[in-house]
Amino acid sequence: VIDGVEKVTHIVKDETIIDEPAVSDGIILVPVVSLGLCGSITGGKCPATTTEVYPDSPRATDAICNDAQVAAIVSGINYVLEN
């Protein structure tokens, strides 16, 4: 998913977002339950993931944000089909 999104827009690297540091390129671990974020709503046993694009970045446009979300979905589907 990260490889697909990175073709469309920049991803988090050595940065901090919502006070959480990147643990790897494109990945931050966020306490979704304590923050009340959407990834915590289902209470599922499997870890929840979400994709976020920098909508407030000067390098991102509405079109780039939309394209990045599509890239994430397509990359996820391709991964499932290939594995």
Side-chain angles (χ1 to χ4, degrees), residues 38-63:
C38 61
S40 69
I41 292 174
T42 64
K45 293 180 181 180
C46 296
T49 63
T50 186
T51 58
E52 297 296 334
V53 180
Y54 295 96
D56 56 347
S57 169
R59 295 188 284 170
T61 64
D62 290 347

Side-chain angles (χ1 to χ4, degrees), residues 10-81:
H10 60 291
I11 61 168
V12 64
K13 296 207 182 223
D14 296 325
E15 304 165 62
T16 298
I17 299 176
I18 61 171
D19 296 326
E20 299 295 335
V23 296
S24 183
D25 288 354
I27 299 174
I28 61 171
L29 303 177
V30 179
V32 293
V33 174
S34 64
L35 294 175
L37 300 177
C38 61
S40 69
I41 292 174
T42 64
K45 293 180 181 180
C46 296
T49 63
T50 186
T51 58
E52 297 296 334
V53 180
Y54 295 96
D56 56 347
S57 169
R59 295 188 284 170
T61 64
D62 290 347
I64 289 172
C65 289
N66 290 338
D67 290 346
Q69 294 295 354
V70 170
I73 293 165
V74 170
S75 295
I77 291 169
N78 286 340
Y79 176 82
V80 170
L81 293 174

